[in-house]
């Protein structure tokens, strides 16, 4: 049992340490150029469609949550009549 665990540990270390690392392209200069461009779009929407969808979803949840909180406050402030 101990030998199999040691062998497994050695195999795992070997495969992790000898696996080739993937080279990623540096996209930072492209992103910097995109976000620093003066085109009148707010910085939180310059990322494209995904940013616009996230922004709209956040606004909908915020407005909906505020409306629901006000509704619940109104319901709680007027007690139900007995009887």
């Amino acid at each position: 049992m101990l030998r199999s665990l040691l062998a497994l540990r050695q195999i795992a270390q070997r495969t992790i340490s000898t696996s080739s690392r993937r080279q990623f392209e540096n996209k930072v200069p492209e992103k910097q150029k995109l976000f620093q461009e003066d085109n009148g779009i707010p910085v939180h929407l310059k990322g494209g469609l995904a940013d616009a969808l996230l922004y709209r979803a956040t606004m909908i949840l915020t407005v909906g949550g505020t409306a629901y909180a006000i509704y619940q406050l109104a319901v709680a402030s007027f007690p139900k009549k007995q009887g």
Side-chain angles (χ1 to χ4, degrees), residues 1-2 5 10 12 20 29 40 47 66 72 75-76 80-81:
M1 178 73 173
L2 183 60
L5 286 176
Q10 187 178 15
S20 64
T66 303
Q72 287 298 325
V75 167
K80 294 181 180 178
K81 294 181 181 178

mmCIF file of all heavy atoms in Angstrom, residues 1-2 5 10 12 20 29 40 47 66 72 75-76 80-81:
data_model
loop_
_atom_site.group_PDB
_atom_site.id
_atom_site.type_symbol
_atom_site.label_atom_id
_atom_site.label_comp_id
_atom_site.label_asym_id
_atom_site.label_seq_id
_atom_site.Cartn_x
_atom_site.Cartn_y
_atom_site.Cartn_z
ATOM 1 N N MET A 1 0.828 -1.191 0.000
ATOM 2 C CA MET A 1 0.000 0.000 0.000
ATOM 3 C C MET A 1 0.873 1.256 0.000
ATOM 4 O O MET A 1 0.643 2.172 -0.765
ATOM 5 C CB MET A 1 -0.921 -0.048 1.239
ATOM 6 C CG MET A 1 -1.798 1.149 1.401
ATOM 7 S SD MET A 1 -3.079 1.089 0.174
ATOM 8 C CE MET A 1 -4.057 2.431 0.684
ATOM 9 N N LEU A 2 1.864 1.276 0.877
ATOM 10 C CA LEU A 2 2.745 2.434 0.964
ATOM 11 C C LEU A 2 3.560 2.601 -0.321
ATOM 12 O O LEU A 2 3.743 3.716 -0.799
ATOM 13 C CB LEU A 2 3.679 2.293 2.168
ATOM 14 C CG LEU A 2 4.607 3.483 2.425
ATOM 15 C CD1 LEU A 2 3.783 4.735 2.668
ATOM 16 C CD2 LEU A 2 5.516 3.199 3.591
ATOM 17 N N LEU A 5 1.438 4.189 -2.994
ATOM 18 C CA LEU A 5 1.255 5.622 -2.764
ATOM 19 C C LEU A 5 2.511 6.408 -3.121
ATOM 20 O O LEU A 5 2.434 7.483 -3.720
ATOM 21 C CB LEU A 5 0.870 5.877 -1.305
ATOM 22 C CG LEU A 5 -0.552 5.498 -0.906
ATOM 23 C CD1 LEU A 5 -0.762 5.713 0.579
ATOM 24 C CD2 LEU A 5 -1.562 6.280 -1.694
ATOM 25 N N GLN A 10 5.348 9.926 -6.936
ATOM 26 C CA GLN A 10 6.483 10.172 -7.824
ATOM 27 C C GLN A 10 6.006 10.420 -9.257
ATOM 28 O O GLN A 10 6.488 11.316 -9.929
ATOM 29 C CB GLN A 10 7.446 8.984 -7.777
ATOM 30 C CG GLN A 10 8.723 9.229 -8.538
ATOM 31 C CD GLN A 10 9.678 8.044 -8.415
ATOM 32 O OE1 GLN A 10 9.279 6.966 -7.996
ATOM 33 N NE2 GLN A 10 10.923 8.265 -8.777
ATOM 34 N N ALA A 12 3.061 11.571 -10.153
ATOM 35 C CA ALA A 12 2.368 12.855 -10.184
ATOM 36 C C ALA A 12 3.357 14.008 -10.221
ATOM 37 O O ALA A 12 3.174 14.970 -10.969
ATOM 38 C CB ALA A 12 1.445 12.979 -8.975
ATOM 39 N N SER A 20 4.988 20.563 -20.383
ATOM 40 C CA SER A 20 5.379 21.808 -21.025
ATOM 41 C C SER A 20 4.383 22.908 -20.666
ATOM 42 O O SER A 20 3.184 22.680 -20.576
ATOM 43 C CB SER A 20 5.422 21.630 -22.541
ATOM 44 O OG SER A 20 4.129 21.349 -23.022
ATOM 45 N N PRO A 29 -1.136 45.165 -24.126
ATOM 46 C CA PRO A 29 -1.062 46.389 -24.933
ATOM 47 C C PRO A 29 -2.331 46.634 -25.764
ATOM 48 O O PRO A 29 -2.772 47.784 -25.895
ATOM 49 C CB PRO A 29 0.141 46.158 -25.851
ATOM 50 C CG PRO A 29 0.982 45.169 -25.123
ATOM 51 C CD PRO A 29 0.019 44.298 -24.393
ATOM 52 N N GLY A 40 -15.813 58.381 -26.249
ATOM 53 C CA GLY A 40 -17.052 58.783 -25.602
ATOM 54 C C GLY A 40 -17.791 57.665 -24.882
ATOM 55 O O GLY A 40 -18.845 57.905 -24.294
ATOM 56 N N GLY A 47 -15.628 47.142 -22.806
ATOM 57 C CA GLY A 47 -15.291 45.740 -23.022
ATOM 58 C C GLY A 47 -16.157 45.061 -24.060
ATOM 59 O O GLY A 47 -15.895 43.931 -24.438
ATOM 60 N N THR A 66 -34.524 47.276 -5.101
ATOM 61 C CA THR A 66 -34.963 48.474 -4.392
ATOM 62 C C THR A 66 -36.488 48.556 -4.366
ATOM 63 O O THR A 66 -37.086 48.850 -3.318
ATOM 64 C CB THR A 66 -34.370 49.728 -5.058
ATOM 65 O OG1 THR A 66 -32.943 49.612 -5.069
ATOM 66 C CG2 THR A 66 -34.782 50.983 -4.326
ATOM 67 N N GLN A 72 -41.943 45.703 0.406
ATOM 68 C CA GLN A 72 -41.974 44.955 1.667
ATOM 69 C C GLN A 72 -42.049 45.902 2.868
ATOM 70 O O GLN A 72 -42.717 45.608 3.857
ATOM 71 C CB GLN A 72 -40.760 44.049 1.794
ATOM 72 C CG GLN A 72 -40.794 42.852 0.895
ATOM 73 C CD GLN A 72 -41.967 41.933 1.205
ATOM 74 O OE1 GLN A 72 -42.383 41.759 2.346
ATOM 75 N NE2 GLN A 72 -42.531 41.352 0.165
ATOM 76 N N VAL A 75 -45.681 46.993 3.011
ATOM 77 C CA VAL A 75 -46.529 45.904 3.524
ATOM 78 C C VAL A 75 -46.349 45.758 5.035
ATOM 79 O O VAL A 75 -47.321 45.581 5.778
ATOM 80 C CB VAL A 75 -46.185 44.564 2.801
ATOM 81 C CG1 VAL A 75 -46.808 43.381 3.518
ATOM 82 C CG2 VAL A 75 -46.631 44.637 1.365
ATOM 83 N N ALA A 76 -45.116 45.871 5.505
ATOM 84 C CA ALA A 76 -44.843 45.735 6.936
ATOM 85 C C ALA A 76 -45.359 46.918 7.752
ATOM 86 O O ALA A 76 -45.678 46.780 8.928
ATOM 87 C CB ALA A 76 -43.349 45.567 7.166
ATOM 88 N N LYS A 80 -52.137 43.876 9.039
ATOM 89 C CA LYS A 80 -53.388 43.283 8.563
ATOM 90 C C LYS A 80 -54.454 43.435 9.629
ATOM 91 O O LYS A 80 -54.179 43.319 10.816
ATOM 92 C CB LYS A 80 -53.182 41.812 8.218
ATOM 93 C CG LYS A 80 -52.253 41.612 7.053
ATOM 94 C CD LYS A 80 -52.111 40.145 6.738
ATOM 95 C CE LYS A 80 -51.163 39.965 5.557
ATOM 96 N NZ LYS A 80 -50.950 38.581 5.231
ATOM 97 N N LYS A 81 -55.672 43.677 9.186
ATOM 98 C CA LYS A 81 -56.784 43.845 10.122
ATOM 99 C C LYS A 81 -57.226 42.478 10.635
ATOM 100 O O LYS A 81 -57.302 41.508 9.880
ATOM 101 C CB LYS A 81 -57.959 44.540 9.453
ATOM 102 C CG LYS A 81 -57.639 45.951 9.064
ATOM 103 C CD LYS A 81 -58.815 46.627 8.429
ATOM 104 C CE LYS A 81 -58.440 48.041 8.024
ATOM 105 N NZ LYS A 81 -59.542 48.712 7.352
#
